[in-house]
Amino acid sequence: MANITAQTQTANLDIEDGRSGGGSRSQDSPRPPIFISFVQKLFGEFVGTFSLVFAGCSAIVVNDTYGKPVTLPGIALTWGLSVMVMTYSIGHISGAHFNPAITIALASSRKFPLKQVPGYIAAQVLGSTLAIESLRLLFNLNNNGCSLKGAIYVGTHPSSSNTAAFVVEFFATFNLLFVISAVATDKRANRSFAGLAIGATVVLDILFGGPISGASMNPARSLAPAYIWGCYKDLWIYIVAPVVGALTADEYGANGATDSRRQEPAKTMLKKSSLAGDQSPNNGKRGRKKIPANKSRHRSLSESFRDRKERERAENFNNWLFRYWVFV
C-alpha cells in the first residue's frame, strides 16, 4: 500500500512538472494549438446574436414604454455597444458574424467555409428568436402588436415607401460589410480596433437609416419578431436587401482597395511608375537612364560633401550673428 502511494505521489509530481512516465517535455517545446470545435462556434454565434438582439430590442421597448427616454441616439448606441462587446468577446471563437448576410457574403468570397453556412444561419436565427420571445415574456408585450394600433412591436417595417426602405437597408449593410472587410478580414489592417470600428458603423447606420427602415441590416433580427408576432408584411425587404448589400460590399472589397491579394507589391508599383523611369530599351527616351554603381556612389559622396559645406556655412553665420549680438 505504501509502495502504491509513493508511486501515485511520484506520478502526480511528474504531471505537475509537465512530465509523463514515458519521458519528459522540455520547457521550450511549443504548446499544442487550441482546437475550437464547430459546436463551440455555433454556440458562440447563438450567444452573440441572442445578446445583441436582446439588448438592442430592449432599448426599443424601454423607449416606447417609459416616454421615450432612450431616444434614437441611445438606441443606436445600445446596438453599437452590443456589437462591439460581442465582437471582442466571441470574435476569436466563431468570427462574430451574428448576421446571416455577413455569413453568406464571406462564404461567397471563400473567406468562410461554405459547409458551415447552414449551421451558422440556424444558430443566428435561433438566438434572435429566443431573444425576442424572452423580451416579449419579460415585458408582457401584446401578442397582436403587429396589427393593434399603439402596441409595442420590436420588428422592422418601412416608415415610408418600400423602395426607400430597400435602398437604405442596402446601403447600410453595404457600409457595414465594407468596414468589416477593411478592418477585420484584411491582413494589412490593425485588427485591435476592429470591434470598435464595426460597432461605430452600426451606430452610424442606425442614426441615418433607423427613421426610414429601422436599419435592420440583419435578416435574423427582422425574421425573429416577424415569426413571433406573425407579421410577414414587407419582410422580403429585410432579407433580400441586406444579403444583396453584403454581397456587393464583399465583392467590391475582394476586387477593390480592401483586398491585399489584388494589390501589387510596392517594389513592383515603383518599377512601373513614371518616377522610377522605364528601363526598357524601346522607351529609352522616357524616364531616367540607369545610373551605374560607381557614378551613383560618386553622386552620393558629392551630395554628402555639399551638405557638409552647407552645414559649416550655416554654423559660421550663426557664430558671426552671435558675436555681433554680444558686441551690440
Side-chain angles (χ1 to χ4, degrees):
M1 186 68 181
N3 189 17
I4 296 176
T5 305
Q7 292 178 358
T8 305
Q9 292 177 354
T10 305
N12 291 336
L13 291 175
D14 290 341
I15 293 174
E16 291 177 358
D17 293 339
R19 300 190 301 269
S20 60
S24 61
R25 179 186 297 176
S26 62
Q27 296 180 355
D28 297 334
S29 61
R31 294 183 178 180
I34 299 176
F35 177 74
I36 300 177
S37 65
F38 184 56
V39 177
Q40 290 176 309
K41 295 180 180 180
L42 295 182
F43 185 73
E45 286 295 307
F46 169 80
V47 172
T49 309
F50 179 92
S51 300
L52 69 93
V53 171
F54 185 85
C57 292
S58 294
I60 298 175
V61 174
V62 170
N63 188 62
D64 293 340
T65 304
Y66 300 100
K68 300 186 181 302
V70 184
T71 68
L72 178 62
I75 295 174
L77 191 61
T78 303
W79 281 100
L81 289 176
S82 301
V83 171
M84 182 187 69
V85 170
M86 289 297 105
T87 299
Y88 283 124
S89 302
I90 310 177
H92 61 285
I93 298 176
S94 66
H97 295 187
F98 313 141
N99 190 335
I102 295 176
T103 303
I104 294 173
L106 295 179
S108 67
S109 60
R110 298 180 181 180
K111 298 176 183 177
F112 183 75
L114 185 62
K115 61 181 180 180
Q116 297 183 7
V117 171
Y120 263 56
I121 294 178
Q124 293 158 2
V125 173
L126 181 61
S128 179
T129 304
L130 290 181
I132 296 298
E133 180 63 21
S134 302
L135 197 63
R136 187 183 68 85
L137 296 176
L138 180 64
F139 288 94
N140 194 20
L141 301 179
N142 197 316
N143 294 330
N144 298 324
C146 178
S147 58
L148 187 62
K149 187 176 181 180
I152 298 176
Y153 176 61
V154 296
T156 52
H157 54 83
S159 59
S160 57
S161 64
N162 291 348
T163 303
F166 187 94
V167 172
V168 168
E169 288 295 320
F170 173 85
F171 279 109
T173 314
F174 179 93
N175 190 24
L176 176 62
L177 212 286
F178 184 84
V179 173
I180 292 175
S181 299
V183 302
T185 61
D186 196 335
K187 296 181 180 180
R188 300 168 298 173
N190 185 3
R191 301 182 183 180
S192 301
F193 299 97
L196 181 61
I198 296 170
T201 305
V202 172
V203 174
L204 178 64
D205 288 342
I206 294 177
L207 286 177
F208 80 82
I212 301 174
S213 66
S216 172
M217 301 172 284
N218 190 337
R221 179 259 181 274
S222 297
L223 183 61
Y227 172 75
I228 296 296
W229 274 278
C231 304
Y232 298 102
K233 184 180 179 180
D234 301 326
L235 180 62
W236 66 272
I237 297 175
Y238 301 95
I239 296 177
V240 177
V243 173
V244 175
L247 289 173
T248 306
D250 192 74
E251 179 64 21
Y252 179 80
N255 297 328
T258 61
D259 187 17
S260 59
R261 295 174 298 176
R262 300 297 181 92
Q263 297 293 327
E264 292 183 297
K267 294 182 180 180
T268 306
M269 295 178 65
L270 183 61
K271 289 181 180 179
K272 293 183 178 181
S273 64
S274 59
L275 296 177
D278 195 347
Q279 305 297 337
S280 60
N282 297 330
N283 296 325
K285 296 181 180 180
R286 295 182 180 179
R288 294 180 296 180
K289 296 182 179 180
K290 189 175 181 180
I291 302 174
N294 55 352
K295 291 186 178 181
S296 177
R297 182 172 178 272
H298 177 71
R299 176 175 295 182
S300 62
L301 292 176
S302 301
E303 291 177 355
S304 61
F305 178 76
R306 191 183 305 110
D307 294 340
R308 187 169 65 253
K309 286 296 183 181
E310 292 290 340
R311 195 182 306 109
E312 291 177 357
R313 190 178 296 109
E315 291 177 355
N316 293 334
F317 177 77
N318 292 335
N319 293 334
W320 176 84
L321 186 63
F322 177 75
R323 292 173 184 175
Y324 177 79
W325 179 79
V326 172
F327 178 77
V328 173

